[in-house]
Amino acid sequence: MDQSDSVVQLLDSNGSFTNDSLFTSTLKESELIDFYRDMVLVRAIDEQATALQRQGELGLWAPLLGQEAAQIGSARAMKKQDFAFSTYREHGVAWCRGVDPVDMLSFWRGTKHQGWDANQYRSYGYQIIIGAHALHATGYAMGAYLSRNTETGDAGIDQAVMAYFGDGAMSEGDVNEAFVFAASYQAPVVFFCQNNQWAISEPTKRQSRVPLAYRAAGFGIPGIRVDGNDVIACYEVTRQALDRARSGQGPTLIEAITYRMGAHTTSDDPTKYQVFSEVELWRDRDPIERLKVYLRAKGVLNNELESEISNEAATLSERMRDECRKLPDPNPLSMFDHVYSESDLNIDEQKREVETILSRSQDN
Amino acid sequence: MPQLSIVHALNQGLHRAMDADSKVLLMGEDIGKLGGVFRVTEGLQKSFGDERVIDSPLAESGIVGTAIGLALYGFRPVVEIQFDGFVFPAFDQIVVQLARMRFRSAGALSLPITIRMPYGGGIGSVEHHSESPEGYFAATPGLRVVTCSNSHDAYWMIQQSIASDDPVIFLEPKRRYWQKSEVNTDSHLNNISALHEARVLTEGSDCTIIGYGPTIATCLQSARLAAEDGVSLEVIDLRSLSPIDMPVLIKSANKTGRVVIVHEASRSGGVGAEIATRLTQECFYKLEAPVMRVTGYDVPYPPSRIEDDYLPDAERILDAVEKCMGY
């Protein structure tokens, strides 16, 4: 994978296959239908969560609207034994790892800091600090290498790690240090940067004067640009990078070029900085629509299947609504748990203070 | 019992911890081939190979951040920050990530990472080589912060820190690195005093002196000088700055009624302030005098030619004792 000006694209915005000199689709039609279903469901999750925030059920939500292909394509390229380190916007990645959407909501509702067991799903909880987890991913990948769980040639054993972050994170020291460590130790990690053009209100050109993937060369890492709204290209490029990592060929930086069609978070007002014409341009490049056009043209997606998938999305949304409202508030005393591995006199004493206050309010 | 310097005791403690658990690995700048700038890790790469004693790129946040990933994978990383003044690029990873992983995952994830760091002044060095940053870490929930003052503790506390399932900031008193004392290596981790326990070094009746790390030698010297004047000081080696072993301190303060806390770090908002507040709350009716502090001043660490005027010495400690006795 050499540095190149070109952007890998296998399915264009009209839903037609295009040729790429290095990549070709290995996906069966049934798999493409699965991807389509994933993207529709993840968009429904996103819409529902945004609505729940508007209704006051969530404190905040970071919409992924527009980034479905980048997340589904890349995360579906992962194997069970791989591990994902994500930011607060990777609901699609969490979905692919098997996380229930209601468990995603618990973080945003404020009932938990981590809504799911990272080891069970082999997917780390939402990371809020920009880029911090790129180092965790790299360290985890170093661990896989040191434990000889890479380069065995056994497809069921060899592990790789995905580190997800955005264009803004490319300026963070931690991400750059992660590149240094990953290159130095040839760690089996794939850096998947979703360049959604905006870091809240700052355009990508505020972060970099060159395409982000070019940065990789300076670290001795292959960098590759992919159409982030093309789920097939995202899958193929990530799959090859993961295979490289698993077979001991080191890290890769993938820049998936996409667009944040929604706000940074539900607290943001993108009309203050995004230009309408630009948003409209990217609306025409919608990641779901193009796959739909392709699958319909092939005759594998018909009205019946489409309504089945949209019913599934509606059912899921309804369940999210119901179960979100029923997510229990944690016991206030639980804030004193798990600060340390053992009990602590000082914390126990402060816990008793709260117990006293709680019992007083119960008495009243 | 062998007489060992703190450096050698740490080296042997690390060796024993690595022998005991194959998941223990060391990472840091210059720790492999060179053996560390203070030679604490000397010979360990030769003994355990370069996959267990890893020379890292020069990036402190990277060292701690990748150690977090390694710990998530199941390793027990022991990382070295070369000097106290160099830890701040890693501050975010330590305070924001490392300290709260257990809490944010409700106990599902633990990060048994030890961060070793030489600290304190008195070696005539240049800027950023003489800092005492312990207060920042002691104020951070989720971290354990410990420090040794002698070789025996160096040998055992480093092993206890590595064995702990919590992240531990392990502070090494660099100006005492080459001070030799007896080490009883003939024991077992389960049979020695717990990591968080404070230790009464000399019993006394007139005033309690609480110190830690590099100031302990100064506290003991003060006790000897005071004894010549007929004043009996009880010196306590705090050993753990988080958590603080309050029962030991409270017992002593109730006995002597007077307390002087000694540390090199700046005074305001320091570990001494926390101890003074808690002792005032717990021992109010037994105290004969306000709890006093002898510390570094509330200024950045000064140029080394005047560092002796900054660092707590026996004279300042005895002045504080005299003030206490005067109430």
Side-chain angles (χ1 to χ4, degrees), chain A residues 184-185, chain B residues 26-35 45 50 53-57:
Chain A
S184 178
Y185 301 112
Chain B
L26 273 46
M27 190 159 69
E29 298 161 5
D30 308 299
I31 66 160
K33 216 161 198 171
L34 180 67
Q45 192 178 63
D50 60 7
V53 181
I54 303 170
D55 275 320
S56 74

Side-chain angles (χ1 to χ4, degrees), chain A residues 32-196:
Chain A
L32 289 178
I33 289 287
D34 290 343
F35 284 10
Y36 176 75
R37 174 186 276 112
D38 282 336
M39 291 198 289
V40 171
L41 294 181
V42 161
R43 183 168 286 186
I45 291 168
D46 191 56
E47 274 171 16
Q48 185 54 237
T50 303
L52 284 164
Q53 196 282 333
R54 293 292 178 234
Q55 293 155 21
E57 298 293 340
L58 303 180
L60 190 74
W61 178 256
L64 62 65
L65 188 65
Q67 298 176 225
E68 294 87 353
Q71 294 190 18
I72 300 299
S74 60
R76 283 293 177 214
M78 295 177 70
K79 290 185 176 167
K80 198 171 187 298
Q81 71 265 26
D82 295 339
F83 204 105
F85 289 79
S86 307
T87 81
Y88 46 80
R89 206 184 300 285
E90 268 74 71
H91 320 300
V93 175
W95 168 259
C96 292
R97 300 308 284 167
V99 176
D100 190 279
V102 179
D103 289 335
M104 301 179 202
L105 297 181
S106 63
F107 175 85
W108 303 95
R109 188 171 169 84
T111 61
K112 285 178 179 180
H113 279 328
Q114 283 196 350
W116 62 86
D117 182 334
N119 285 324
Q120 185 187 342
Y121 297 101
R122 303 195 62 72
S123 183
Y124 202 45
Y126 294 119
Q127 175 64 255
I128 292 288
I129 304 299
I130 305 297
H133 56 296
L135 284 167
H136 307 166
T138 302
Y140 197 91
M142 288 164 65
Y145 166 76
L146 291 171
S147 304
R148 299 293 181 265
N149 286 327
T150 55
E151 303 176 50
T152 67
D154 184 332
I157 288 177
D158 286 344
Q159 290 180 327
V161 180
M162 286 290 283
Y164 286 92
F165 47 82
D167 42 296
M170 287 292 291
S171 300
E172 289 283 358
D174 278 357
V175 169
N176 288 276
E177 290 187 22
F179 293 159
V180 171
F181 277 69
S184 178
Y185 301 112
Q186 288 293 286
V189 56
V190 174
F191 299 107
F192 194 88
C193 173
Q194 287 166 82
N195 177 0
N196 69 10

Side-chain angles (χ1 to χ4, degrees), chain A residues 58-344:
Chain A
L58 303 180
L60 190 74
W61 178 256
L64 62 65
L65 188 65
Q67 298 176 225
E68 294 87 353
Q71 294 190 18
I72 300 299
S74 60
R76 283 293 177 214
M78 295 177 70
K79 290 185 176 167
K80 198 171 187 298
Q81 71 265 26
D82 295 339
F83 204 105
F85 289 79
S86 307
T87 81
Y88 46 80
R89 206 184 300 285
E90 268 74 71
H91 320 300
V93 175
W95 168 259
C96 292
R97 300 308 284 167
V99 176
D100 190 279
V102 179
D103 289 335
M104 301 179 202
L105 297 181
S106 63
F107 175 85
W108 303 95
R109 188 171 169 84
T111 61
K112 285 178 179 180
H113 279 328
Q114 283 196 350
W116 62 86
D117 182 334
N119 285 324
Q120 185 187 342
Y121 297 101
R122 303 195 62 72
S123 183
Y124 202 45
Y126 294 119
Q127 175 64 255
I128 292 288
I129 304 299
I130 305 297
H133 56 296
L135 284 167
H136 307 166
T138 302
Y140 197 91
M142 288 164 65
Y145 166 76
L146 291 171
S147 304
R148 299 293 181 265
N149 286 327
T150 55
E151 303 176 50
T152 67
D154 184 332
I157 288 177
D158 286 344
Q159 290 180 327
V161 180
M162 286 290 283
Y164 286 92
F165 47 82
D167 42 296
M170 287 292 291
S171 300
E172 289 283 358
D174 278 357
V175 169
N176 288 276
E177 290 187 22
F179 293 159
V180 171
F181 277 69
S184 178
Y185 301 112
Q186 288 293 286
V189 56
V190 174
F191 299 107
F192 194 88
C193 173
Q194 287 166 82
N195 177 0
N196 69 10
Q197 314 300 326
W198 295 98
I200 306 190
S201 68
E202 296 191 354
T204 305
K205 68 172 187 284
R206 177 65 67 208
Q207 317 297 338
S208 183
R209 300 298 294 243
V210 298
L212 297 172
Y214 286 20
R215 297 255 187 95
F219 293 94
I221 297 175
I224 185 162
R225 310 182 80 202
V226 61
D227 179 347
N229 285 13
D230 173 357
V231 72
I232 301 169
C234 286
Y235 173 84
E236 295 299 344
V237 167
T238 308
R239 189 179 60 81
Q240 283 204 19
L242 285 168
D243 282 346
R244 274 174 41 84
R246 289 192 200 95
S247 61
Q249 295 174 74
T252 304
L253 170 64
I254 299 170
E255 177 190 1
I257 299 158
T258 179
Y259 198 81
R260 201 193 72 209
M261 294 298 290
H264 162 66
T265 68
T266 45
S267 296
D268 178 33
D269 175 11
T271 62
K272 288 195 158 193
Y273 52 85
Q274 272 183 343
V275 185
F276 182 73
S277 58
E278 187 183 73
V279 179
E280 286 308 298
L281 183 75
W282 281 90
R283 204 180 300 283
D284 291 338
R285 299 174 185 164
D286 187 85
I288 300 181
E289 191 59 27
R290 72 172 76 174
L291 186 60
K292 182 173 156 180
V293 168
Y294 171 76
L295 292 172
R296 284 200 77 103
K298 289 290 263 185
V300 285
L301 182 65
N302 52 30
N303 291 343
E304 197 186 341
L305 185 51
E306 240 187 282
S307 69
E308 183 192 311
I309 292 171
S310 72
N311 286 340
E312 198 182 338
T315 309
L316 178 60
S317 298
E318 198 180 319
R319 182 169 72 79
M320 280 173 69
R321 221 164 30 240
D322 288 349
E323 294 184 18
C324 175
R325 291 179 176 134
K326 288 182 199 147
L327 281 172
D329 283 351
N331 182 334
L333 293 173
S334 71
M335 78 171 87
F336 296 101
D337 297 337
H338 305 300
V339 181
Y340 295 100
S341 61
E342 297 162 5
S343 70
D344 177 85

Side-chain angles (χ1 to χ4, degrees), chain B residues 54-281:
Chain B
I54 303 170
D55 275 320
S56 74
L58 267 72
E60 288 76 13
S61 188
I63 292 169
V64 176
T66 52
I68 289 172
L70 284 160
L72 288 171
Y73 203 90
F75 287 89
R76 266 179 199 273
V78 183
V79 305
E80 177 178 298
I81 298 293
Q82 200 163 67
F83 276 93
D84 36 50
F86 305 171
V87 72
F88 297 101
F91 200 67
D92 174 67
Q93 287 289 345
I94 295 173
V95 169
V96 180
Q97 305 292 331
L98 179 61
R100 56 178 75 195
M101 186 68 79
R102 176 181 299 283
F103 183 79
R104 66 196 288 259
S105 68
L109 303 175
S110 72
L111 296 176
I113 295 174
T114 302
I115 299 180
R116 293 183 36 244
M117 202 188 313
Y119 81 120
I123 63 161
S125 194
V126 297
E127 203 181 6
H128 307 305
H129 290 72
S130 306
E131 310 293 313
S132 296
E134 63 268 26
Y136 298 111
F137 302 113
T140 301
L143 297 177
R144 291 180 185 279
V145 184
V146 302
T147 180
C148 54
S149 68
N150 59 72
S151 302
H152 182 78
D153 277 352
Y155 179 79
W156 287 108
M157 287 173 77
I158 189 63
Q159 293 180 65
Q160 288 174 302
S161 299
I162 294 167
S164 170
D165 285 333
D166 296 314
V168 180
I169 307 293
F170 189 91
L171 298 157
E172 302 171 0
K174 74 165 89 74
R175 74 174 142 128
R176 312 291 183 195
Y177 259 154
W178 299 101
Q179 177 184 289
K180 283 189 178 177
S181 57
E182 272 186 357
V183 179
N184 178 8
T185 56
D186 229 9
S187 188
H188 189 269
L189 273 184
N190 301 332
N191 302 331
I192 50 169
S193 32
L195 185 59
H196 68 273
E197 278 182 29
R199 184 179 295 140
V200 179
L201 296 180
T202 62
E203 296 210 13
S205 53
D206 293 325
C207 182
T208 301
I209 311 292
I210 302 168
Y212 54 83
T215 64
I216 287 299
T218 321
C219 295
L220 291 170
Q221 182 200 1
S222 307
R224 283 191 298 272
L225 291 168
E228 290 170 14
D229 289 337
V231 178
S232 163
L233 301 186
E234 175 148 304
V235 176
I236 297 180
D237 184 351
L238 196 56
R239 301 192 337 136
S240 170
L241 317 185
S242 178
I244 295 171
D245 188 4
M246 284 311 295
V248 167
L249 307 189
I250 290 166
K251 190 176 164 205
S252 179
N254 280 336
K255 182 176 80 173
T256 63
R258 297 176 184 88
V259 179
V260 174
I261 304 159
V262 184
H263 56 62
E264 287 187 23
S266 299
R267 191 170 303 163
S268 296
V271 171
E274 183 56 36
I275 294 172
T277 308
R278 292 204 211 170
L279 286 178
T280 306
Q281 261 175 279

